[in-house]
């Protein structure tokens, strides 16, 4: 399961209700805790000391937003920066400094444009920023130029839990990128009921069977692991877009995605008015209508819109003359028939991908789903 916490949902500048862009993604393995055996249910509460998470963008004030959540900078696995505009990266030096002061010593991966490295070098040089942990910088430009595994970074959280981060170029005033985050959780389940029914009592042989070994019982019975073990793999993928005026740049990325998170800075009417008022300057953002059209065309079941212009108030009232979130919502719903959410600061969503039984040709056993689970302020 991936758990998304929106730490900032405003475009360009903060408002009283919204900070600038940042999104936390917890990478949770519901099978990681406890020592459940066989068909017994596993705990859904992963060990609190092992809750890895990613940070996508880090606008100014992100570390302050984190104080209202249960997220720990010591558990942060990687930071991904979509592009160099300030509302997506100005909070990075302060967050890294706070991580250092909190006692972090573990290496931290930073996937970002090369310019971000230069920015941090300047802070280190001129402000005596000291990081007592290795900052492993991965240049997006280098990732996209490599011939093997182009644009991909794999992170092994443990032997049954992996992440794949894929980078996709977008269309904006400066080079901007989207990130495809795919979590893969593998699990091997021992059918203890069948073993007992076959007269095989609990013993060390059970463990060998679960590890894939064929065994012989004391009475000479040959047991094949494949007869008692089921392998399943759960894959969950979310696509997070940076600033982008052409959602079609993500056509390949969203083909197998459970959720798309995309900017919807304004309505289509406002976007057209902005472009008409100043033909020489295109802010190169998407309207909710453009994103909705793309999502409908791609048959996406779930989208979350974010990065809203400060002109829109946070309430939802289509009858109000004051621009508000209803304007954004209706703009998208006029062309999109799937599930749509408008992100708010601290809103949390769980994303569960489909589970495939490796030895079952029928394939998917559970449909992917996205659920709003409340606010980080109260959870």
């Amino acid at each position: 399961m991936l758990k998304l916490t929106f730490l900032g949902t405003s475009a360009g500048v903060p408002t009283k209700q919204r900070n600038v862009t940042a999104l936390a993604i917890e990478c949770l393995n519901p099978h990681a805790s406890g020592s459940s055996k066989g068909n017994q249910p596993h705990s859904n509460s992963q060990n609190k000391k092992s809750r890895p998470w990613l940070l996508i963008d880090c606008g100014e004030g992100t570390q302050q937003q984190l104080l209202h959540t249960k997220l720990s900078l010591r558990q942060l696995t990687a930071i991904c920066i979509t592009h160099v505009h300030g509302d997506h990266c100005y909070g990075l030096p302060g967050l890294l400094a706070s991580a250092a002061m909190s006692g972090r010593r573990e290496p931290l991966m930073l996937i970002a444009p090369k310019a971000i490295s230069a920015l941090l070098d300047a802070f280190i040089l001129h402000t005596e920023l000291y990081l007592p942990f290795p900052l492993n910088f991965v240049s997006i430009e280098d990732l996209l130029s490599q011939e093997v595994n182009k644009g991909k970074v794999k992170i092994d959280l443990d032997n049954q839990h992996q992440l794949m981060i894929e980078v996709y170029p977008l269309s904006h005033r400066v080079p901007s990128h989207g990130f495809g985050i795919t979590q893969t959780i593998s699990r091997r389940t021992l059918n203890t009921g069948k073993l007992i029914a076959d007269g095989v009592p609990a013993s060390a042989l059970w463990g060998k069977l679960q590890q894939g070994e064929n065994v012989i019982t004391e009475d000479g019975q040959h047991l094949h692991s494949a007869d008692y073990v089921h392998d399943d793999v759960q894959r969950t993928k979310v696509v997070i877009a940076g600033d982008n005026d052409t959602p079609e740049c993500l056509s390949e990325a969203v083909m197998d995605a459970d959720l798309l998170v995309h900017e919807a800075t304004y309505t289509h009417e406002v976007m057209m008015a902005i472009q008409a008022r100043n033909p020489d300057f295109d802010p190169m953002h998407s309207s909710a209508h453009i994103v909705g059209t793309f999502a409908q065309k791609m048959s996406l079941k779930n989208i979350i819109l974010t990065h809203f212009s400060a002109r829109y108030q946070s309430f939802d009232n289509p009858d109000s003359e004051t621009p508000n979130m209803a304007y954004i919502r209706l703009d998208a719903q006029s062309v999109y028939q799937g599930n749509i959410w408008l992100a708010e600061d601290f809103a949390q969503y769980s994303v569960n991908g489909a589970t495939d039984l490796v030895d079952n040709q029928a394939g998917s056993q559970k449909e992917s789903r996205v659920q709003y689970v409340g606010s980080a302020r109260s959870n």
Side-chain angles (χ1 to χ4, degrees):
M1 179 180 79
L2 297 177
K3 185 177 181 182
L4 280 59
T5 301
F6 285 85
L7 301 170
T9 57
S10 183
V13 297
T15 71
K16 291 182 178 180
Q17 289 79 31
R18 301 179 184 274
N19 198 45
V20 285
T21 301
L23 170 63
I25 304 178
E26 292 179 83
C27 308
L28 305 180
N29 181 358
H31 314 302
S33 62
S35 56
S36 310
K37 296 181 180 180
N39 296 330
Q40 297 176 4
H42 292 260
S43 169
N44 286 324
S45 56
Q46 187 168 351
N47 188 330
K48 291 184 178 180
K49 294 184 179 180
S50 179
R51 295 175 68 95
W53 61 284
L54 310 176
L55 179 64
I56 311 298
D57 282 335
C58 188
E60 183 181 359
T62 294
Q63 63 170 318
Q64 177 71 21
Q65 298 289 86
L66 283 171
L67 297 178
H68 298 284
T69 75
K70 297 179 181 179
L71 296 167
S72 167
L73 289 176
R74 290 194 175 190
Q75 300 295 320
L76 180 58
T77 299
I79 301 174
C80 303
I81 303 296
T82 60
H83 64 294
V84 299
H85 281 158
D87 57 327
H88 294 256
C89 68
Y90 281 173
L92 185 57
L95 182 135
L96 294 176
S98 292
M101 295 182 69
S102 71
R104 183 186 178 108
R105 297 296 182 270
E106 299 78 16
L108 177 61
M109 179 180 293
L110 173 59
I111 303 173
K114 287 182 178 179
I116 296 297
S117 179
L119 174 68
L120 291 178
D121 286 344
F123 270 95
I124 291 171
L125 175 64
H126 296 293
T127 71
E128 297 187 359
L129 172 62
Y130 171 66
L131 302 180
F133 53 87
L135 187 63
N136 298 330
F137 185 81
V138 180
S139 160
I140 285 180
E141 291 88 343
D142 290 344
L143 276 178
L144 293 175
S145 64
Q146 63 189 21
E147 295 184 2
V148 180
N149 294 322
K150 180 177 180 180
K152 296 181 180 180
V153 176
K154 184 180 180 182
I155 300 175
D156 291 316
L157 298 175
D158 60 47
N159 60 355
Q160 294 181 319
H161 190 186
Q162 291 83 36
L163 292 177
M164 179 66 76
I165 301 176
E166 299 176 81
V167 181
Y168 300 93
L170 302 178
S171 173
H172 191 48
R173 302 194 307 277
V174 299
S176 183
H177 307 87
F179 296 102
I181 314 294
T182 302
Q183 174 180 255
T184 303
I185 298 174
S186 304
R187 183 172 62 139
R188 176 169 288 175
T189 305
L190 185 65
N191 190 337
T192 58
K194 184 178 180 181
L195 282 166
I196 293 173
D198 290 348
V200 183
S203 69
L205 295 181
W206 282 22
K208 293 182 179 180
L209 286 169
Q210 189 161 14
Q211 294 303 315
E213 297 182 35
N214 299 326
V215 300
I216 302 176
T217 64
E218 292 182 356
D219 60 3
Q221 186 178 0
H222 290 257
L223 303 179
H224 297 278
S225 174
D227 295 332
Y228 297 96
V229 171
H230 301 289
D231 291 320
D232 61 61
V233 176
Q234 183 183 33
R235 293 183 180 86
T236 303
K237 180 177 181 179
V238 299
V239 176
I240 315 298
D243 289 3
N244 178 38
D245 69 353
T246 308
E248 286 75 15
C249 293
L250 294 168
S251 294
E252 178 183 349
V254 302
M255 290 293 291
D256 55 350
D258 300 298
L259 171 69
L260 169 65
V261 178
H262 201 286
E263 65 135 307
T265 305
Y266 22 56
T267 63
H268 203 66
E269 180 181 4
V270 169
M271 183 187 75
M272 298 302 291
I274 291 173
Q275 294 174 345
R277 186 164 56 244
N278 189 355
D280 296 328
F281 175 73
D282 184 353
M284 297 185 70
H285 287 294
S286 286
S287 68
H289 184 277
I290 287 177
V291 181
T293 299
F294 169 72
Q296 186 67 26
K297 175 184 176 181
M298 298 300 297
S299 300
L300 297 180
K301 294 183 178 180
N302 305 292
I303 61 173
I304 300 178
L305 303 181
T306 185
H307 194 269
F308 307 116
S309 166
R311 61 170 50 83
Y312 298 101
Q313 299 299 308
S314 294
F315 64 88
D316 188 307
N317 182 358
D319 298 323
S320 173
E321 294 184 359
T322 301
N324 64 83
M325 298 314 298
Y327 289 33
I328 296 286
R329 175 175 55 80
L330 293 174
D331 198 45
Q333 289 178 336
S334 68
V335 290
Y336 176 64
Q337 298 176 357
N339 300 315
I340 181 172
W341 294 269
L342 306 185
E344 299 178 356
D345 283 22
F346 305 110
Q348 295 184 308
Y349 300 85
S350 65
V351 187
N352 282 282
T355 299
D356 297 325
L357 294 181
V358 174
D359 54 359
N360 185 344
Q361 297 300 317
S364 178
Q365 301 298 303
K366 174 172 65 65
E367 289 188 0
S368 63
R369 63 186 186 275
V370 178
Q371 292 181 323
Y372 171 71
V373 295
S375 171
R377 283 182 174 270
S378 56
N379 288 345

